Amino acid sequence: MNLNATLFFQLVVFVMLGLFTMKFVWPPIEKALDERAKKIADGLAAADKAKSDLALAEKRAVEELRKARESAGDVRASAERNASQLVEDARAEAANVVAQARQAAEAEADAAAQRAKDELRDQVAMLAIAGAEKILRREINPQAHAELLANLKQELR
């Protein structure tokens, strides 16, 4: 065999192999590569979309957290106002109770003082009557009267 014939047959086999590859092997490989490229592109697009969604969700979360803090501050302020109002109401009620108790005690003290005065008047009247009775029983003597009046003064003290 000749080198040219071998080269020619190798060239024919190479061309046939190239045509076979281009006809039967290359299209499925190209299709698989295209599908792979499409999957990669879809994955990158989904990752970009997820990244933007994540950024949007973080913004929403920050906004909701800010709103929650404001709401908590409002609730806390309202609770503090209610608590201070309750304290003021309790103080006012306590002051009213103390004032009523003081008035009742003063009224009771006034009544007791009035009863003591009435008893004292009764006793003074009884002593005056007793003194007058003693004076009238004795004979009229200025020195005796002075002595009786001194005794009466002693009894009144």
Side-chain angles (χ1 to χ4, degrees), residues 35-84:
E35 286 177 4
R36 178 88 171 141
K38 187 175 186 286
K39 282 183 183 178
I40 290 172
D42 289 346
L44 289 175
D48 287 342
K49 185 176 184 313
K51 193 182 240 185
S52 66
D53 288 347
L54 178 63
L56 183 61
E58 285 178 352
K59 285 181 185 177
R60 280 193 216 142
V62 167
E63 181 65 23
E64 288 297 320
L65 186 59
R66 183 189 60 78
K67 286 180 183 177
R69 284 184 181 151
E70 287 177 2
S71 176
D74 293 344
V75 167
R76 184 181 308 128
S78 175
E80 287 174 356
R81 283 192 302 271
N82 288 343
S84 65

Side-chain angles (χ1 to χ4, degrees), residues 121-139:
R121 280 190 197 122
D122 289 344
Q123 287 177 0
V124 167
M126 298 268 288
L127 288 175
I129 290 172
E133 186 178 317
K134 286 180 183 178
I135 289 173
L136 292 175
R137 283 193 187 166
R138 280 191 171 186
E139 57 186 67

Side-chain angles (χ1 to χ4, degrees), residues 16 32-33 51 63 82 85 90 104 107 109 114 131 133 136 140 156-157:
M16 281 182 15
L33 288 174
K51 193 182 240 185
E63 181 65 23
N82 288 343
Q85 183 63 38
Q114 187 62 40
E133 186 178 317
L136 292 175
I140 300 179
L156 286 177
R157 287 188 184 170

